[in-house]
Amino acid sequence: MAGAVDLSALKQRAAPPSEGDGAAGKRYGVEITEANLEAEVLVRSSQVPVVVLLWSPRSEASAQLGDVLAQLAAADGGKWSLATVNVDAVPRVAQMFGVDAVPTVVALGAGQPLASFKGLLPPEQLRKWVDQLLTATAGKLGEGAAEEPEQVDPELAQAREHLDAGDFNAALTAYQVLLDADPNHAEAKGAVHQIGFLQRATAQRPDAVAVADAAPDDIDAAFAAADVDLLQQNVAAAFNRLIGLVKRTAGDERTKVRTRLIELFDLFDPTDPEVIAGRRNLANALY
């Protein structure tokens, strides 16, 4: 985690899928987000090969491949690590891998791609592919990892554990302690901001968007709808709703809307194209 918490991952923790959700409710290996990509893929691959499955719950082939890979990983007892990227939930991570179809599998060692394939392989062919990966990396990984272990502040580690467990109240308290001690703590600052947003947003009424659409000049309704839009990954819709309000308001009301919009911008990487577009549109609305 580098100063920000991935919103889609937090949303999934807040509302986990039910057992009857089929492929949408399945999990294979370590679920990768922007927050844990470095630790679970790049750093981990310096110790053992990491096989990354880029998948979608909309794809039955993805589910079949995930099942087989999970079985192989369990059978091999830690010789390699299985990581998964839900391309629907974390599209920016998928873009980092250059994925253009699901399922796609990419194997990494020492942070570098070693092999990849697209589509569904038969179990016996997949077994051979994994064996070839293990043979190619035998004796080449692991030595350097023990020399320079990552030094993590115990309080930071505890905060991350609370977050990973979905205990947002405990995580928020733990991160706030870190932020009180160091107001410039990037991870704590981002986590406090985004966990606070998530707690507020998940408390909004489920029909908030429809309510706001029926009363477009109701500021509080627009705020609630923008929160729900963000939870549903409708980022541009959330930004445009408030930018429209900025155009139709003045004085203290305009300041109130502008302040909330900037808070929402700050939930994301400032280089995100939708944030850049949102800030540009806000500037046009103001001037």
Side-chain angles (χ1 to χ4, degrees), residues 41-64:
V41 176
L42 302 181
V43 175
R44 180 65 171 153
S45 70
S46 68
Q47 302 164 345
V48 295
V50 175
V51 174
V52 181
L53 168 63
L54 296 115
W55 74 296
S56 167
R58 297 175 287 103
S59 164
E60 183 59 33
S62 291
Q64 295 176 26

Side-chain angles (χ1 to χ4, degrees), residues 80-146:
W80 55 281
S81 177
L82 174 60
T84 63
V85 174
N86 182 334
V87 301
D88 299 331
V90 284
R92 289 193 293 187
V93 175
Q95 290 170 8
M96 295 177 193
F97 285 91
V99 63
D100 57 9
V102 293
T104 293
V105 173
V106 179
L108 296 93
Q112 300 298 317
L114 302 176
S116 65
F117 67 85
K118 298 178 182 179
L120 180 61
L121 296 183
E124 61 277 7
Q125 189 173 346
L126 191 55
R127 174 74 270 178
K128 291 180 181 178
W129 185 86
V130 171
D131 288 343
Q132 291 172 353
L133 174 65
L134 294 175
T135 299
T137 56
K140 299 179 181 179
L141 302 175
E143 293 82 2

Side-chain angles (χ1 to χ4, degrees), residues 44 85 127 151-152 218 238 265 276:
R44 180 65 171 153
V85 174
R127 174 74 270 178
Q151 299 297 320
V152 179
D218 186 322
F265 288 157
I276 293 173

